Amino acid sequence: ELARAVEAERITVLQVVPSLLRALLEEGGMVGRAGLRRLFCGGEVLAAGLAERARAALGCEVVNLYGPTEVCIDATAHRYAAPAQGATVPIGRPVDGVLALVLDRRGEPVPAGVAGELCLGGAQLARGYLGRAALTAEKFVPDPFGGEPGARLYRTGDVVRWLWDGTLEYLGRADEQVKVRGFRIEPGEVEAALLAHPGLREAAVVAREDAPGDRRLVAYLVPREAAPGVAELRAHLGASLPEHMIPSAFVVMEELPSTRSGKLDRRALPAPEAPQGAGEHVAPRDALETTIGEIFAAVLGVERVGLRDSFFDLGGHSLLAVQLVSKLEKATAVRLPVAMLFRAPTVEMLAEEVRRGGGGAMPLLVPIRPGGSRTPLFLVHPVGGSVMAYAVLARHLDAEQSVYGLRARGTEQGEKPNWTIEEMARDYLAEVRGARPSGPYRLGGWSMGGVIAFEMARQLEAAGETVERLVLIDSQVPWLRDPEQSMPRNESLVVQMFAQDLGLPAELLPSADPDWRDVGEVAYLAAVLGSARTAGLLPAGMDMERLQDLYGIFRINVKATYDYRPESYGGGATLLRASERKLAERLLEKKTVGWDRVVRGGVKVRTIPGTHYTVVREPQVKVLAREVERVLG
């Protein structure tokens, strides 16, 4: 009836929810320009493709509305004028009288591009929930930013982010977030990106753990006609989403199961039969390749791995890399350096390395992405000693930018570590100058890596060489911040730093109270290991021996950083600082974190979204890559 009324031009302004609009368009009720003047959509996430189809079919203005009942009722609006860049239409800007804030978990505003909870205030705000004082106190909180006494904010529970044009993008519900391999993911954001594909009619994304330790994203799809291929879907999602948000498996269905109320029945979704690789599956050809393929599958939590599937493309990261080479050594009696995975990331390549007997220790200089035409960028390891953190960053840099990493001595068996920043810099420069005898040089590093890169630049300058660029990625020397600051005496505090470096959230860390001083480092490490396993942040096969090896090099590097007393450097540097810092740090710290005291050529400071740890991980690493490219020129 609604469709007939519109076609008869008896309706000039129509307000619908997107699901009804989609049904009307797909049933053919609205097929021509019906003279509809304005179409209001609200109540659900509006996909860009649906908005464009409605505008083309009806010849009307499309307005996307957002607003919870508690804000009585429309809080933001967005006039859809052109195909949006991405999967969904922004929910727009606040309407008159509404205050919109995007806050982090500490209740502090986040910069553009960073996700947070949408909190609303203003004249339209309700007083609370009738007869439910506890819920009112939880959802209606004091407004610390308002000028009026007694002002409050409503915590919507919706996750959004400011776009660079000042509009808000809806990402999903905070209570629907899932955590996969340490990353918080909004399934709704992935679903919206899938629905932007013209070949899909419906999509649902869930996090499944069908086998212990194998937690992964699975997408369930209802195609319009023929289902798009897996490679096509991965490429489509990769254009707008970070790698950790791309599902590991895609399941095609005739329809999605629903409950009696019409909502998605997630419990009725079937387990995927087998994971799909990025390309055609090539089976192993002999016993060795079969063994390595089985190790790949066990470590990565997939059912099978093809001969030419890349460890990194299948979700491999630094901790999984440690576990993989450990299992490989036990199965083949051949020890391969962890950094070898950069040179041999597939089953086929690793099998060849095993046949060669491992080829000895991996050089300190690791070719992360060699061969580009631009001046190489040398990135120094962070405090953990591995250069795996730069694998994702390198993939987001210009294809012609060659990238090399410098791993810590002592991360491979039988190596003696360097104990000071000066020793590390001399050691790494010998490797760098062996590959590139003369400048100009481009150096950088994240965290401790920036400190070592600074010392390398200083030593190159003393040798008469030119350092073209020095990039410090959220790097600081404790002594520069506070001359009295020294290595923590409480070992449990150092272990806590180590656990945070692994990605274990602070709220899951074992207490560092004085009781832990009596039980010692090993017991506290065991407690960290248990917490990390429970949170799903460490592979199931990670044992205490391997964890102690990782902690050993971490502790040496932490002490080296605290002991370092930098001398002045005549060149310049760029400091890329993480935006999410504690309020006390933002108030007390100088922008340069002390680097201006030793960098005589000047320190340029740029702020990038994220915390100290997330700036090198998806999705913030894309912004980091853009800033690094700007610095390199």
Side-chain angles (χ1 to χ4, degrees), residues 5-290:
V6 171
E7 290 206 346
E9 299 187 18
R10 295 202 304 270
I11 296 178
T12 57
V13 176
L14 181 65
Q15 183 158 352
V16 299
V17 294
S19 59
L20 175 58
L21 175 62
R22 184 181 296 111
L24 290 172
L25 289 172
E26 292 180 354
E27 290 298 323
M30 297 181 179
V31 292
R33 293 182 175 271
L36 186 66
R37 188 178 67 201
R38 184 170 298 154
L39 179 69
F40 290 104
C41 293
E44 302 169 21
V45 177
L46 181 63
L50 180 62
E52 190 62 19
R53 278 160 47 209
R55 192 176 67 158
L58 303 171
C60 64
E61 179 183 35
V62 178
V63 181
N64 195 27
L65 297 175
Y66 163 87
T69 305
E70 291 84 349
V71 191
C72 307
I73 183 169
D74 294 325
T76 67
H78 176 76
R79 281 190 172 89
Y80 182 80
Q85 296 295 319
T88 60
V89 180
I91 59 175
R93 295 179 172 87
V95 300
D96 289 346
V98 172
L99 170 68
L101 298 172
V102 183
L103 307 180
D104 62 18
R105 298 186 177 198
R106 300 184 298 271
E108 298 183 7
V110 300
V114 177
E117 182 179 8
L118 177 59
C119 296
L120 300 172
Q124 293 177 234
L125 199 65
R127 293 184 177 182
Y129 300 102
L130 183 61
R132 304 184 69 182
L135 184 60
T136 298
E138 177 188 350
K139 292 294 185 181
F140 292 84
V141 298
D143 177 9
F145 310 102
E148 298 183 8
R152 295 178 304 154
L153 295 173
Y154 170 64
R155 297 182 56 191
T156 65
D158 290 325
V159 179
V160 301
R161 64 182 167 208
W162 290 109
L163 300 179
W164 301 107
D165 62 358
T167 60
L168 288 165
E169 180 184 24
Y170 179 89
L171 300 177
R173 291 285 303 167
D175 51 12
E176 293 177 354
Q177 282 185 342
V178 297
K179 201 164 188 180
V180 178
R181 291 175 179 166
F183 292 102
R184 297 184 185 275
I185 297 172
E186 309 290 344
E189 186 177 2
V190 186
E191 291 169 2
L194 283 167
L195 289 173
H197 192 289
L200 298 179
R201 186 159 56 93
E202 292 183 82
V205 174
V206 299
R208 299 186 65 102
E209 190 168 351
D210 298 301
D214 177 20
R215 187 166 176 81
R216 54 182 173 149
L217 283 184
V218 179
Y220 295 87
L221 315 171
V222 178
R224 297 188 182 280
E225 295 177 358
V230 172
E232 180 182 346
L233 287 172
R234 290 186 186 279
H236 168 74
L237 293 175
S240 59
L241 297 178
E243 291 183 18
H244 70 270
M245 293 182 70
I246 298 177
S248 300
F250 297 86
V251 179
V252 178
M253 307 181 70
E254 292 185 1
E255 61 179 0
L256 297 178
S258 60
T259 63
R260 290 182 179 180
S261 62
K263 295 184 178 180
L264 176 68
D265 187 354
R266 297 180 183 273
R267 290 179 296 181
L269 293 170
E273 294 182 1
Q276 301 93 334
E280 181 183 356
H281 178 77
V282 180
R285 298 164 297 194
D286 57 30
L288 176 60
E289 291 176 349
T290 299

Side-chain angles (χ1 to χ4, degrees), residues 137-433:
E138 177 188 350
K139 292 294 185 181
F140 292 84
V141 298
D143 177 9
F145 310 102
E148 298 183 8
R152 295 178 304 154
L153 295 173
Y154 170 64
R155 297 182 56 191
T156 65
D158 290 325
V159 179
V160 301
R161 64 182 167 208
W162 290 109
L163 300 179
W164 301 107
D165 62 358
T167 60
L168 288 165
E169 180 184 24
Y170 179 89
L171 300 177
R173 291 285 303 167
D175 51 12
E176 293 177 354
Q177 282 185 342
V178 297
K179 201 164 188 180
V180 178
R181 291 175 179 166
F183 292 102
R184 297 184 185 275
I185 297 172
E186 309 290 344
E189 186 177 2
V190 186
E191 291 169 2
L194 283 167
L195 289 173
H197 192 289
L200 298 179
R201 186 159 56 93
E202 292 183 82
V205 174
V206 299
R208 299 186 65 102
E209 190 168 351
D210 298 301
D214 177 20
R215 187 166 176 81
R216 54 182 173 149
L217 283 184
V218 179
Y220 295 87
L221 315 171
V222 178
R224 297 188 182 280
E225 295 177 358
V230 172
E232 180 182 346
L233 287 172
R234 290 186 186 279
H236 168 74
L237 293 175
S240 59
L241 297 178
E243 291 183 18
H244 70 270
M245 293 182 70
I246 298 177
S248 300
F250 297 86
V251 179
V252 178
M253 307 181 70
E254 292 185 1
E255 61 179 0
L256 297 178
S258 60
T259 63
R260 290 182 179 180
S261 62
K263 295 184 178 180
L264 176 68
D265 187 354
R266 297 180 183 273
R267 290 179 296 181
L269 293 170
E273 294 182 1
Q276 301 93 334
E280 181 183 356
H281 178 77
V282 180
R285 298 164 297 194
D286 57 30
L288 176 60
E289 291 176 349
T290 299
T291 298
I292 296 176
E294 290 172 350
I295 294 173
F296 259 62
V299 169
L300 294 167
V302 297
E303 202 166 308
R304 67 175 186 175
V305 176
L307 196 63
R308 299 185 180 95
D309 291 340
S310 169
F311 171 79
F312 297 105
D313 290 343
L314 292 173
H317 51 75
S318 57
L319 291 174
L320 291 178
V322 171
Q323 187 183 359
L324 186 142
V325 297
S326 177
K327 287 180 176 291
L328 194 59
E329 180 183 6
K330 291 177 181 178
T332 65
V334 175
R335 183 175 180 89
L336 296 175
V338 173
M340 179 69 73
L341 283 171
F342 283 110
R343 192 167 76 193
T346 68
V347 171
E348 183 177 39
M349 293 176 176
L350 271 179
E352 186 60 30
E353 293 294 339
V354 171
R355 292 187 188 102
R356 293 175 184 166
M362 190 79 177
L364 298 182
L365 187 65
V366 179
I368 297 176
R369 195 176 67 180
S373 61
R374 300 175 64 181
T375 303
L377 173 63
F378 297 95
L379 295 173
V380 188
H381 65 84
V383 69
S386 168
V387 294
M388 286 285 175
Y390 301 128
V392 180
L393 172 61
R395 287 201 291 272
H396 288 299
L397 294 175
D398 185 276
E400 291 302 313
Q401 179 61 64
S402 56
V403 181
Y404 293 84
L406 287 150
R407 68 171 181 85
R409 190 178 293 283
T411 54
E412 299 297 342
Q413 191 175 40
E415 288 183 334
K416 292 183 178 180
N418 290 314
W419 289 85
T420 69
I421 297 293
E422 291 86 352
E423 288 177 3
M424 296 175 193
R426 283 194 294 270
D427 214 358
Y428 303 161
L429 279 178
E431 296 279 329
V432 169
R433 300 186 77 173

